[in-house]
Amino acid sequence: MKLIGATNSFIQGPFLMEGIILSIIGILISCISVTTLARVILSTLPQNLSFMKVGHYYSYMPGRINGMIWSICTLAGITIGGLASIISTRRYIKI
């Protein structure tokens, strides 16, 4: 493609988009599994730690934890997916 006048961004664009789309799919899978695991742990934690009287502290946390999990997974996933796509296209396509 470079021989017929394609720019570097035109060549790298599809690979970058593929990396971002695959990272979004990975984000959804990981966030759903981590959120489910956090809900299971937080629902059983007050029962298992009843001798410590910590049950009332965990009543407000699932909503806050879900937001933190989703935001951290999204930022990390898109960043890692995008950087991996940029590095691999620069390294193997020899632009």
Side-chain angles (χ1 to χ4, degrees), residues 19-42:
I20 291 173
I21 289 171
L22 290 175
S23 67
I24 290 173
I25 292 170
I27 288 166
L28 290 174
I29 293 170
S30 67
C31 284
I32 289 171
S33 62
V34 169
T35 303
T36 304
L37 183 64
R39 284 183 185 217
V40 168
I41 289 173
L42 288 178

Side-chain angles (χ1 to χ4, degrees), residues 72-93:
I72 290 171
C73 285
T74 302
L75 290 174
I78 289 176
T79 303
I80 292 171
L83 286 175
S85 296
I86 290 171
I87 291 170
S88 65
T89 54
R90 286 188 180 179
R91 185 177 207 179
Y92 294 112
I93 294 184

Side-chain angles (χ1 to χ4, degrees), residues 4 7 35 48 65 68-69 74 89 94:
I4 58 172
T7 61
T35 303
N48 294 334
I65 288 177
M68 289 187 328
I69 289 171
T74 302
T89 54
K94 304 289 185 203

